Amino acid sequence: MYLDNAATTQKPACVIEAIADFYCHSNANTHRSSHRLARKATAMVEQTRSAAAEFLGALSAREVVFTRGATEGLNLLANSLCAGLQPGDEIVLTTAEHHANLVPWQMMAERYRLEIRYLPDVRGIPQFHRMAEVLNERTKIVSVTAGSNALGFRVDLERVRNTLASRDLVWVLDGAQLAAHDRIDVQAIGCDFFVCSAHKFYGPSGIGLLYGREALLQQMPPWQGGGEMIADVDLYSSHYADLPHKFEAGTSSLAAIAGLGACMAFLSAQDRTAMAVHEQQLLRDLHAGLSRIPEVNLLSSAENNLGIASFTHPRCAAVDLMQWLDGRDIAVRVGHHCAQPLMRAAGHSATLRASVAAYNNAEDVAKFVAAVEEFVRQLDREDASIPAALEVQNLAEPGASEWVVDDLSMLDLELLRSRQNWQDRYRTLMAWGKQISGKASIRTDANLVRGCESSAWLVHRCEDDRNWFGLDSDSRIVKGLGALLLLQLNGKNLAAQNRAEVEALFVELGLAQQLSESRSNGFRALLERAFALMV
């Protein structure tokens, strides 16, 4: 059951078939060769460009540039637009932006000595009614999202347009989340540039669209050089191709363009209004169901939302719930969603995000809510039946250390081995996580283990030739995995430590197959840090 649509959508059969058909019947490079296959491929690309112009509401196909996705489109704009700015010129952004709409501008600000200003916000939510406060004669670029990929809220684009009207600046709009849910009309929106990724609106990955007003694109220098984007090249200078090809260096993802054409034809045949009504009903049901679960902290609202429910629970890390849902064939996203400034401003390091698309249904929402309820009930049972973590022995002299070693003697490795399926092993590891006590004193940058999906901290000391470790994490499953590791390491001398045996145990228990790659890498990161500390 797929509820990770804000990350990428599943594809209609017609999109997959168009990609296969291109490779089977039309595979050739475009705009170069003159043979029949090349002519056919070139015609497909330019027909798709014309369809994209209609899809976006552009005045001409010359205003549509193919990119690898919204991220590349934003990098293109940052590099090309900022090249003509002067030191001290300003770029206006918001705290709610995806990293793709932050990092490129930061890089250009550093290169050209530009200033970045941010809209006022309330816990990360931009206050667009106060936009005029950060605009002045030095403002040259305003680049904002049309809707948050982390919390789902829509931006009032009419307010932005009215605020920016008649000002001498350019408006870049990140429409990555908007294109799947709304018809796009860049003329009505009023932006100067618009970027989106096909994979987020039922199209293939590796292809995106950049719209730009023709007059502005004409003025901009190309970003990348190479084949296709030139008219003439000699040893010391080059003349660039006309629009839009001067921004399309090298060979584009031609099969993906074929799939994009099929995707836009598919969407044009749908009742987009009915799709939106259906999605909004799912979203209301999703928020209503989650709001009834005790302690669930909803950061999103069903109103004015692009299909996202984002929440936390005070008694578990979001990754623990995600792992539970994954074991029940429910796919969701967990993390900072490439929006760390927004997450920090909202007071969270990670949330669980469920996002809907038109192919989801009421049964999906009901099953998801029921699974979250079941997880919370299990938390209640565990909290009632498992004693609090015991910090029973401090092997250092009083005052020599601020952390104590957790008593893991009650953990039974053979019991874990006897569990016949992943769900039973998962529950056992979650229970083991209760035996790792909280240790506020070790939560420092120096002790942070890089590479873990959730924050984890590891410390070490050696006494009487024996190694002892202290661990803490926001995630109970990470604590459980840490307990498994410390069970193999604590109280042993260096000569008795065998890294290969620990790794073999990890494989024997099937953890490498069941855990996400990042979670598996997190366990290995803990293992790597532990052995590094013992040297």
Side-chain angles (χ1 to χ4, degrees), residues 95-136:
T95 52
E97 303 306 316
H98 189 283
H99 295 165
N101 202 25
L102 289 174
V103 179
W105 304 110
Q106 293 169 353
M107 295 168 69
M108 294 304 102
E110 182 177 3
R111 179 183 301 177
Y112 296 112
R113 291 182 291 149
L114 309 173
E115 299 294 330
I116 295 178
R117 303 190 70 186
Y118 288 90
L119 264 66
D121 69 87
V122 175
R123 294 183 62 80
I125 309 300
Q127 303 298 289
F128 281 94
H129 65 281
R130 298 179 59 188
M131 175 177 271
E133 297 176 20
V134 297
L135 302 176
N136 57 57

Side-chain angles (χ1 to χ4, degrees), residues 109-181:
E110 182 177 3
R111 179 183 301 177
Y112 296 112
R113 291 182 291 149
L114 309 173
E115 299 294 330
I116 295 178
R117 303 190 70 186
Y118 288 90
L119 264 66
D121 69 87
V122 175
R123 294 183 62 80
I125 309 300
Q127 303 298 289
F128 281 94
H129 65 281
R130 298 179 59 188
M131 175 177 271
E133 297 176 20
V134 297
L135 302 176
N136 57 57
E137 67 280 358
R138 300 306 301 266
T139 307
K140 302 303 179 185
I141 298 169
V142 173
S143 189
V144 298
T145 183
S148 169
N149 72 300
L151 303 184
F153 61 81
R154 291 172 176 265
V155 169
D156 185 345
L157 298 179
E158 183 177 2
R159 180 189 289 273
V160 176
R161 182 191 66 210
N162 293 339
T163 302
L164 300 182
S166 75
R167 292 182 182 268
D168 184 20
L169 51 78
V170 296
W171 173 20
V172 177
L173 186 62
D174 176 4
Q177 293 298 321
L178 187 67
H181 304 285

